[in-house]
Amino acid sequence: MRRTPTHRSGDQTSAPSAAGARSAPYVAGVVTALVGFTSSFAVVLAGLRAVGATPEEAGSGLFAVTVAFGVGIIVLAAWHRVPVTLAWSTPGAALLVATGTVDGGWPAAVGAFALVGVLVVLTGFVPWLARAVERIPPALAQAMLAGILLPLVLAPVEAVAAIPLLALPVVATWLVVTRLAPRWAVPAALVTCLVVIAVELARTGTTVTGSLLPALTWTTPTLTVPAVVGIALPLYVVTMASQNVPGAAVLRSFGYPVPWRSAMAVTGVGTLAGAPLGGHAINLAALSAALAAGEEAGPDRDRRWLAALSAGVTYLVLAALSGALVAVTSAAPAGLVEAVAGLALLGAFGAAALTALQDTAGRTSALVTLLVAAAGVTVGGIGGAFWALVAGLVVRAVLERPARGETPPTG
């Protein structure tokens, strides 16, 4: 008797579903890397150039920092079987833009990057250092970040006013894609920016100079007091408060243990190793961490670490494209690439400002911190981020600390 197959249609539909579940972690990892890299590499280049790097040194830094955290992701994911992802410090790069050159120039900035690496390693193994970071009022740390980001998020407005025919297509693309697919808004704006650059270069007959392949440039680090106080300490605080702590919280929110000591060791050593090549800082990913740890990485939680592994490999591929990106963006009309960077930082600015100002009892000190950081003043060769934190702490101590025996205000 001939046997009739049963549930044939169900088997046919379940096969693609099973294949999709198997491939989901790898696809999520590629998306994580593409979104993470394209949405903020312009900020990294701007930050390195601001503290004195030449285009070649900035390109070397972008390549070095991408390779460092790409390798770091692979090591941590394979070691712990946890979807832990790393990134460059985007708020740290924004800090560099606000700080500018310090006494000692680019070599001193490189020395500050190396010191940040040492401090991050120590944070994982010296409890009191981690507690010292935790004692910084979160509202002031976020207010400092918001002040640092404020001049940068104004760049799209300034670009539209200065070069409307070039900047408006970029902003319009960002606006439309934000409505339809928010995750891809900044990458889409970047693609539009590159198209606009290509059209403008063709129109003006300008040629792209420099190598399209990534190249490493060594800088021997030096240390100066303004670089330590004005770059290293604020960069360490911003990286810890705005990247490492939230990154760990995102991983925990999905039910995964955080390999804190391992992560601090890998990111600290990676930062230290990349510093002489121009890399500023690497850390736990915060926003993009959810892409590799969440449902988009597949229904099987035990396989989501493969998403991190896939992201690490993709970052290494993207690092190979860094030379071409540096060459093309260096030839862009002034203000155009900065506009893309400003769009990329808009969400971070809004979140930082909201966190800083939501507590009415500490709003004055947060406002002072934000305004001093936004002003970008340099006193004694030390940049505004440090003075913003000092000013905020002073105002907090004088105006917002309750007198002895007095009940602190609520609400």
Side-chain angles (χ1 to χ4, degrees):
M1 182 175 182
R2 185 178 179 183
R3 186 170 182 173
T4 303
T6 57
H7 305 296
R8 184 173 180 181
S9 60
D11 292 340
Q12 287 177 331
T13 57
S14 65
S17 176
R22 287 194 297 271
S23 64
Y26 304 103
V27 174
V30 172
V31 171
T32 298
L34 287 173
V35 172
F37 186 91
T38 58
S39 63
S40 57
F41 86 90
V43 185
V44 175
L45 289 177
L48 297 177
R49 293 296 304 276
V51 292
T54 64
E56 293 76 18
E57 290 164 340
S60 173
L62 179 65
F63 178 72
V65 76
T66 308
V67 169
F69 72 75
V71 172
I73 292 173
I74 294 171
V75 169
L76 288 172
W79 185 3
H80 294 284
R81 294 296 199 272
V82 170
V84 56
T85 51
L86 308 179
W88 50 49
S89 178
T90 303
L95 166 70
L96 301 181
V97 175
T99 301
T101 56
V102 296
D103 183 26
W106 174 242
V110 168
F113 302 160
L115 180 58
V116 170
V118 173
L119 292 175
V120 170
V121 172
L122 290 176
T123 302
F125 297 92
V126 181
W128 69 262
L129 185 56
R131 288 195 296 269
V133 174
E134 293 173 355
R135 289 179 63 86
I136 298 174
L140 297 191
Q142 292 301 311
M144 179 181 71
L145 177 59
I148 291 167
L149 296 178
L150 179 57
L152 301 179
V153 298
L154 294 176
V157 180
E158 297 167 349
V160 168
I163 45 174
L165 294 180
L166 303 180
L168 278 173
V170 175
V171 176
T173 299
W174 172 83
L175 184 62
V176 171
V177 180
T178 298
R179 177 69 177 85
L180 300 175
R183 179 183 305 157
W184 296 100
V186 175
L190 172 63
V191 171
T192 304
C193 177
L194 294 175
V195 172
V196 170
I197 292 172
V199 171
E200 184 66 8
L201 293 179
R203 186 186 69 83
T204 60
T206 305
T207 58
V208 175
T209 59
S211 173
L212 299 182
L213 297 176
L216 294 175
T217 302
W218 176 272
T219 300
T220 301
T222 63
L223 281 179
T224 65
V225 172
V228 171
V229 179
I231 294 181
L233 296 183
L235 179 56
Y236 170 69
V237 170
V238 165
T239 298
M240 292 300 301
S242 301
Q243 293 288 139
N244 282 333
V245 173
V250 168
L251 203 56
R252 289 192 189 98
S253 72
F254 287 100
Y256 291 101
V258 180
W260 179 255
R261 286 191 173 182
S262 299
M264 293 304 98
V266 168
T267 56
V269 170
T271 298
L272 182 59
L277 302 173
H280 67 300
I282 65 174
N283 43 245
L284 287 170
L287 296 178
S288 61
L291 297 176
E295 293 292 336
E296 292 181 349
D300 188 349
R301 291 173 44 83
D302 292 335
R303 297 184 73 247
R304 290 181 191 170
W305 68 274
L306 294 171
L309 196 69
S310 173
V313 173
T314 306
Y315 274 123
L316 296 182
V317 175
L318 291 171
L321 303 176
S322 60
L325 288 171
V326 172
V328 172
T329 56
S330 296
L336 189 59
V337 177
E338 290 80 359
V340 177
L343 294 173
L345 293 170
L346 191 59
F349 168 76
L354 180 63
T355 301
L357 301 178
Q358 65 182 358
D359 180 13
T360 56
R363 188 167 292 169
T364 301
S365 61
L367 275 172
V368 169
T369 303
L370 190 157
L371 293 174
V372 174
V377 294
T378 298
V379 180
I382 299 171
F386 173 79
W387 297 118
L389 197 55
V390 170
L393 290 171
V394 170
V395 171
R396 184 182 179 90
V398 174
L399 299 182
E400 296 166 356
R401 177 177 295 175
R404 183 175 298 177
E406 180 182 339
T407 302
T410 59

